[in-house]
C-alpha cells in the first residue's frame, strides 16, 4: 500500500491493523479467529520483520468503534456500541468514552450469543449464534445463487467482493426482487433481535451499524428499529438512537488510523478509548 500510494516509508508513523476474532494486543497475536479458523497467529512479529514502524493490532469491531468515535457518527458520544456486521458480528463497546476491554481485551463477542435454539452451526462451535443468523454471510446465504459462508473460511481478498454482493442484494430488494427483499427482512429482523439484547444489556445512547451490512443499511435499519421497538425495554430503547456508520465500509480502516493516533500521541492517562 505504501509503495502503491507513493508514500515515503520514513513518513509513516505507525500502522493500526484490524483483524477478526480474539486479539492479544500486548503480544500482537491473533488468539482465535472463528471465521478464518486461525489460532495463535503472531501477526505483529511477522509484519515487523519487514516494517520499520510500530504496528498496533485490534479486533475489527473494537477498532471500528474507535474509527466512528474519532471520525464518524459517534464523535463526542460517551456511551455507544458499534455493531460490526461483517463475515461475523462483533461489538465494540464504548462506556464513558473508553473502549471496554474485559479481563482479556475480548469484551463484545455478542456475535456468539445464542439467538436460535437449533440454529445454524457457527464457526465458534455453537449453534444459533447471532452472527450465524445476521452477518453478511447469513444475508448472502438467504439469496440462492449468492454465496453463503465458504466452507474453508474467508480470505481478506474476498471482503470487497462480499461488500459488492451485499450492495447488489440491497439494490435487488429495492427494485422489488421478492427473494432479495425477504432475505433483507429476515436478516434485518435477526440483526434487530440482537441489537435489542445489546441495548438491554448495556444501555447505550447510540448503536452504530457498521461493516459490510452498512451497504444495505437503508433497508436493514427499518427492520432493526422495528424489532428493537418490539423487544427492547421501553426505557432503554427510549434513550438510544440507531444509526449507520458514517464511514461505511471504511470504518474499520479509519479505526486503524484512530488506534495508531491513540497509541502514539495520547498520554496513557488521557486516552479517550483505551486504558493503558
Ligand atoms: Zn458463534
Amino acid at each position: 500500500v505504501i509503495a502503491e500510494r507513493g508514500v515515503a516509508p520514513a513518513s509513516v508513523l505507525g500502522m493500526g491493523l484490524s483483524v477478526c476474532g480474539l486479539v492479544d494486543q500486548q503480544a500482537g497475536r491473533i488468539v482465535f479467529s472463528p471465521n478464518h479458523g486461525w489460532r495463535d497467529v503472531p501477526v505483529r512479529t511477522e509484519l515487523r520483520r519487514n516494517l520499520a514502524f510500530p504496528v498496533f493490532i485490534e479486533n475489527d469491531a473494537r477498532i471500528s468503534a474507535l474509527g466512528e468515535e474519532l471520525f464518524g457518527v459517534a464523535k463526542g458520544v460517551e456511551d455507544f456500541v458499534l455493531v460490526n456486521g461483517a463475515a461475523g458480528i462483533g461489538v465494540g463497546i464504548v462506556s464513558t468514552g473508553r473502549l471496554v476491554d474485559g479481563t482479556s481485551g475480548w469484551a463484545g463477542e455478542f456475535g456468539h450469543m445464542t439467538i436460535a435454539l437449533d440454529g445454524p452451526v457457527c464457526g465458534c462451535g455453537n449453534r444459533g449464534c447471532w452472527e450465524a443468523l445476521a452477518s453478511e454471510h447469513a444475508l448472502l446465504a438467504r439469496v440462492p445463487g449468492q454465496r453463503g459462508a465458504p466452507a474453508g473460511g474467508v480470505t481478506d481478498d474476498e471482503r470487497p467482493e462480499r461488500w459488492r454482493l451485499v450492495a447488489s442484494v440491497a439494490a435487488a430488494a429495492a427494485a422489488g426482487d421478492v427473494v432479495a427483499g425477504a432475505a433483507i427482512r429476515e436478516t434485518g429482523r435477526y440483526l434487530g433481535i440482537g441489537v435489542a439484547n445489546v441495548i438491554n444489556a448495556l444501555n447505550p445512547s447510540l448503536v452504530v451499524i457498521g461493516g459490510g451490512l452498512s451497504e444495505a443499511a437503508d433497508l436493514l435499519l427499518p427492520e432493526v428499529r422495528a424489532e428493537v421497538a418490539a423487544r427492547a425495554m421501553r426505557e432503554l430503547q427510549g434513550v438510544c438512537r440507531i444509526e449507520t456508520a458514517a464511514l461505511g465500509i471504511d470504518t474499520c480502516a479509519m479505526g486503524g488510523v484512530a488506534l495508531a493516533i491513540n497509541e502514539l500521541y495520547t498520554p496513557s492517562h488521557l486516552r479517550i478509548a483505551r486504558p493503558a
Side-chain angles (χ1 to χ4, degrees), residues 127-204:
R127 271 187 178 279
C129 288
W130 189 25
E131 72 172 43
L133 294 158
S135 61
E136 289 170 2
H137 278 162
L139 171 64
L140 297 177
R142 293 188 175 106
V143 185
Q146 300 283 18
R147 293 176 313 167
V154 184
T155 69
D156 284 344
D157 292 345
E158 289 173 313
R159 213 173 269 188
E161 172 65 4
R162 275 204 322 268
W163 295 337
R164 194 190 63 72
L165 289 172
V166 170
S168 74
V169 171
D177 184 285
V178 174
V179 175
I184 290 276
R185 276 193 301 282
E186 191 175 2
T187 306
R189 291 198 66 190
Y190 278 119
L191 191 60
I193 289 169
V195 169
N197 292 346
V198 170
I199 289 173
N200 282 343
L202 298 174
N203 185 204

Side-chain angles (χ1 to χ4, degrees), residues 111-112 122-124 126 129 131:
H112 301 286
C122 177
C124 73
N126 185 25
C129 288
E131 72 172 43

Side-chain angles (χ1 to χ4, degrees), residues 217-240:
D218 288 351
L219 299 177
L220 288 172
L221 249 60
E223 304 293 334
V224 170
R225 289 185 178 125
E227 287 303 318
V228 168
R231 295 174 190 274
M233 289 181 72
R234 191 175 304 167
E235 293 76 8
L236 287 132
Q237 59 169 280
V239 295
C240 184

